[in-house]
Amino acid sequence: MMRRAITLILVQFLMFHASGQDGATFEPPVKIPMYLSGNFGEIRSDHFHSGIDIKTQGTTGHHVSSVEKGYVSRIKVQANGYGKSIYISHPNGYTSVYGHLDRYRDDIAAYVKRMQYKQQSHMVDLYLSKETFPMEKGEFIAFSGNSGSSSGPHLHFEIRSSANQHPTNVLSYNFEIKDLVAPRFHSIFLYPMDKNCKINGKTERFSSKIVRDKGIYTIPYSSTVEASGVLGISVEVFDYLDGASNRCGVHTLEMFVDNKLSYSHVMDEFAFSETRYINAHIDYEERIKSGKKAHRLHRLPNDRLRIYNQALENKPLLVDESRNYSIRIVATDVAGNSSTLEFTLKGSEGNNEVPIANEGEVTYMKYNQVNSFEKGPVHLEIPAYSLYQDLDFSFQSSPQADGSLTPFYQIANIEVPVHKAYTLSIKKPDYVRSLNRKLLLISYNDKHEIVSAGGTFQDGYIVAKLRNFGEFAVGLDTIAPRIMPHGSTGGDFSAKKELRFTIEDELSGIAKYEGYIDNQWALFEYDPKNKLLYYSFDEQHISKDSEHELELYVSDEKGNVNLHHTTFNW
Ligand SMILES: [Zn+2]
């Protein structure tokens, strides 16, 4: 038994060190010292972070260069996501990715613009051959920025395996990023995983802050934990790196029960197709309730992440004896710093009394089967493996409408994560005379504001594919987006570099934007986080010192279009 354990540890050790230490060496992508605001594998919404976020001293415009020789294999421009990004394939089998760029170097920028005009689209996804832009190690490629879904100037940097495009742990290569700080535990959560489970006499979740005592993290002595039955444990733990206060992700997390390893994961690599399993990996209910990002120390049945130790069952804890259970949780970072959380759980046998049946309408749904549900005007179809575990599905209808054409229907619970999209159909009420194509489903955001949940009219129903549960109703969007010019709407722009507009939509959201100058398609760039739409004057496409006509169309997801029409001199 002991020998087997040692062999397993050895195998894991060798597997981990094979990645990143196969001779691949890289140069830093920036010339400034590398301090991180984010690292590989940290918890984000609906995904694990796939690279590192390098701080750029609060400003844009820092030189970004290729970390190894190779060639530009892909250039992607998105309004959201990585914004302006560049991918470089290297002969060592890795691809480096640089995101949220401000602008590409001149020859690359000219190439991208040519393709944008050719495709008549701001957003492009270009795959390039070896010959177009070959790269030397350290060659300048772009200026750092804040484009796409970025909340401040920084460089998003990834190293992927070229063959399968899996992002790998950037910190396991040779970059000079100092980390002498060990991970820190912040809070712990215990929650029932079966109906007989009791924690401190209750069937509710238990949560506690974590304190540090003589170098060991623990639950404060004032709060004891008594439990029986099957329970889950999750911990809020972050790594910190030198020179930054940002919360980063840990590299490994392990739990020992009575000194026996019961759970383990290593964050070295994942596939983009599996990153959404983060909603199974984290304590999703706690995330919704408090916003805290806690790792479960067990694997849910339909969590297919590759990060778990395959030799373990990674099951929730079964407490069925009246004795003390010693729990030890160990977190490490890539640099090898580690922290330990220890506490004693007072176990009891429990009494296995038959729990009181749930009130109201509850349908038991198995996660590995197709589940359908129908009640009055509401129809639901949940594909197999859309849920991470079996669910006591609940349904309720609120008596009143709230800015909606129907009552709000409570579909399961917002604290239950959804993996694959399910289909929700709500019948169009008979009294509604509006245009069918303006109907959509609406829901609430976390500020309890009404937001679009999408959907289209089909055979008397408004049908939407959804990836979360919660409250939904039928709504209507007949209002076109607003287009607000910065400064004057027309006139003399000869000294200006750009035409700028704020664009906004009430409900369904901006779907399309198209600008024409003198009846020719013109490149308008959209920056959703700033609600900004802008055109950079360009002598290659319009002639200088003359009068021009601008037509700008902005439409929403429900086909409501606004046109801004003006003339100007440039
Ligand atoms: Zn990033």
Side-chain angles (χ1 to χ4, degrees):
M1 197 61 207
M2 192 63 187
R3 177 173 296 173
R4 204 175 139 202
I6 290 168
T7 314
L8 276 170
I9 291 165
L10 256 174
V11 166
Q12 281 181 340
F13 180 84
L14 291 171
M15 274 167 57
F16 161 54
H17 282 272
S19 94
Q21 307 231 337
D22 51 0
T25 60
F26 298 102
E27 202 166 275
V30 288
K31 301 278 176 280
I32 53 175
M34 295 220 274
Y35 294 108
L36 304 192
S37 57
N39 73 346
F40 180 82
E42 70 174 66
I43 298 167
R44 299 277 173 99
S45 72
D46 299 330
H47 68 285
F48 289 99
H49 191 228
S50 50
I52 58 172
D53 287 340
I54 303 168
K55 292 183 181 227
T56 52
Q57 305 173 340
T59 54
T60 61
H62 296 268
H63 275 227
V64 176
S65 53
S66 179
V67 292
E68 176 55 290
K69 70 175 183 218
Y71 68 98
V72 176
S73 51
R74 186 180 180 189
I75 297 172
K76 194 171 179 182
V77 180
Q78 294 169 276
N80 289 303
Y82 293 171
K84 289 179 183 162
S85 62
I86 198 161
Y87 296 60
I88 301 178
S89 294
H90 309 292
N92 60 13
Y94 292 100
T95 298
S96 52
V97 182
Y98 313 77
H100 306 306
L101 301 169
D102 189 58
R103 61 200 154 94
Y104 303 112
R105 80 175 194 213
D106 288 351
D107 55 342
I108 299 177
Y111 172 86
V112 172
K113 201 168 195 178
R114 211 158 57 237
M115 299 310 283
Q116 287 172 316
Y117 271 88
K118 196 174 163 193
Q119 297 184 13
Q120 299 205 340
S121 173
H122 165 215
M123 290 188 251
V124 289
D125 190 3
L126 312 167
Y127 288 84
L128 291 79
S129 64
K130 280 189 167 96
E131 296 75 36
T132 318
F133 295 111
M135 281 291 145
E136 289 304 320
K137 190 172 191 151
E139 188 173 332
F140 168 59
I141 50 172
F143 295 96
S144 71
N146 187 29
S147 62
S149 311
S150 168
S151 55
H154 75 278
L155 175 69
H156 172 89
F157 174 67
E158 279 176 29
I159 294 182
R160 298 185 185 179
S161 287
S162 298
N164 53 19
Q165 290 297 303
H166 290 179
T168 64
N169 198 328
V170 179
L171 295 184
S172 62
Y173 302 91
N174 60 318
F175 295 102
E176 263 189 47
I177 297 166
K178 206 168 159 194
D179 183 6
L180 298 172
V181 188
R184 288 177 199 147
F185 289 94
H186 294 268
S187 5
I188 188 163
F189 309 95
L190 278 72
Y191 41 90
M193 290 295 290
D194 77 356
K195 286 188 173 136
N196 293 315
C197 175
K198 289 229 170 81
I199 301 164
N200 288 340
K202 295 183 198 155
T203 53
E204 292 150 26
R205 63 172 39 226
F206 164 89
S207 56
S208 174
K209 268 191 172 312
I210 294 298
V211 293
R212 206 170 166 196
D213 183 39
K214 298 184 191 84
I216 299 287
Y217 289 86
T218 190
I219 293 176
Y221 293 119
S222 52
S223 39
T224 50
V225 195
E226 291 181 29
S228 63
V230 181
L231 58 102
I233 301 177
S234 67
V235 285
E236 190 196 21
V237 58
F238 297 103
D239 188 35
Y240 297 82
L241 284 85
D242 288 44
S245 59
N246 303 73
R247 293 176 161 193
C248 290
V250 296
H251 180 227
T252 72
L253 198 54
E254 292 173 318
M255 180 163 86
F256 298 83
V257 178
D258 300 327
N259 287 318
K260 191 170 175 280
L261 186 63
S262 74
Y263 169 90
S264 161
H265 87 248
V266 182
M267 187 47 79
D268 272 334
E269 181 183 335
F270 58 84
F272 283 102
S273 60
E274 63 196 29
T275 193
R276 191 178 171 86
Y277 286 110
I278 193 166
N279 291 338
H281 174 79
I282 62 165
D283 185 344
Y284 193 82
E285 184 180 336
E286 193 56 44
R287 179 83 204 253
I288 297 296
K289 281 189 166 133
S290 69
K292 290 194 168 130
K293 303 167 181 177
H295 298 265
R296 289 182 196 273
L297 296 160
H298 60 100
R299 190 182 69 84
L300 293 184
N302 183 31
D303 174 351
R304 305 202 200 160
L305 281 165
R306 69 188 61 216
I307 61 174
Y308 305 107
N309 184 331
Q310 301 295 319
L312 298 173
E313 289 190 88
N314 298 302
K315 283 209 295 203
L317 178 62
L318 168 66
V319 180
D320 58 356
E321 288 173 47
S322 295
R323 63 173 178 88
N324 282 345
Y325 289 71
S326 95
I327 310 291
R328 182 157 49 95
I329 300 160
V330 181
T332 69
D333 61 23
V334 181
N337 305 298
S338 80
S339 292
T340 302
L341 162 63
E342 276 180 5
F343 67 99
T344 302
L345 190 146
K346 278 192 184 169
S348 73
E349 283 169 31
N351 51 8
N352 279 343
E353 66 199 28
V354 179
I356 307 151
N358 279 303
E359 298 283 327
E361 297 172 61
V362 173
T363 309
Y364 190 73
M365 291 185 171
K366 281 181 135 6
Y367 76 91
N368 55 1
Q369 290 177 1
V370 177
N371 292 286
S372 334
F373 177 86
E374 193 152 12
K375 180 85 184 174
V378 177
H379 182 84
L380 205 74
E381 189 87 18
I382 306 176
Y385 300 102
S386 186
L387 302 169
Y388 295 120
Q389 58 184 330
D390 293 351
L391 171 68
D392 279 333
F393 177 85
S394 60
F395 175 83
Q396 257 182 306
S397 162
S398 71
Q400 274 153 337
D402 169 16
S404 58
L405 303 176
T406 63
F408 271 84
Y409 300 102
Q410 172 81 49
I411 311 294
N413 189 320
I414 195 167
E415 288 153 7
V416 175
V418 176
H419 193 76
K420 286 186 211 167
Y422 69 95
T423 308
L424 174 64
S425 312
I426 304 179
K427 201 168 192 297
K428 175 189 166 180
D430 293 333
Y431 76 89
V432 174
R433 294 271 171 264
S434 346
L435 286 171
N436 289 338
R437 63 191 163 85
K438 304 294 179 192
L439 296 172
L440 76 171
L441 294 189
I442 55 176
S443 185
Y444 295 110
N445 65 11
D446 49 10
K447 295 174 200 134
H448 210 73
E449 297 159 339
I450 286 179
V451 291
S452 166
T456 53
F457 183 83
Q458 293 168 37
D459 303 326
Y461 284 81
I462 297 87
V463 182
K465 296 262 186 203
L466 301 170
R467 287 178 112 181
N468 59 289
F469 290 131
E471 293 172 85
F472 298 93
V474 174
L476 179 68
D477 184 358
T478 55
I479 302 165
R482 296 206 295 158
I483 305 175
M484 290 160 285
H486 292 197
S488 62
T489 59
D492 185 25
F493 284 91
S494 51
K496 295 256 165 70
K497 284 190 167 140
E498 283 173 345
L499 288 171
R500 291 163 81 95
F501 300 87
T502 293
I503 60 171
E504 274 180 349
D505 188 61
E506 270 312 275
L507 191 57
S508 63
I510 307 278
K512 241 173 116 181
Y513 44 94
E514 261 183 320
Y516 293 86
I517 296 174
D518 306 330
N519 283 317
Q520 298 293 312
W521 186 86
L523 175 61
F524 276 80
E525 299 182 63
Y526 180 35
D527 179 8
K529 64 179 178 295
N530 294 315
K531 299 178 177 176
L532 183 68
L533 188 65
Y534 60 99
Y535 168 82
S536 304
F537 289 116
D538 167 7
E539 268 188 87
Q540 300 241 303
H541 292 95
I542 65 169
S543 48
K544 189 87 176 92
D545 301 319
S546 50
E547 194 187 61
H548 303 282
E549 186 186 11
L550 167 69
E551 284 172 291
L552 183 60
Y553 298 88
V554 181
S555 48
D556 69 12
E557 295 285 353
K558 287 282 119 186
N560 303 299
V561 189
N562 197 357
L563 164 66
H564 179 84
H565 188 191
T566 187
T567 54
F568 64 91
N569 288 307
W570 182 74

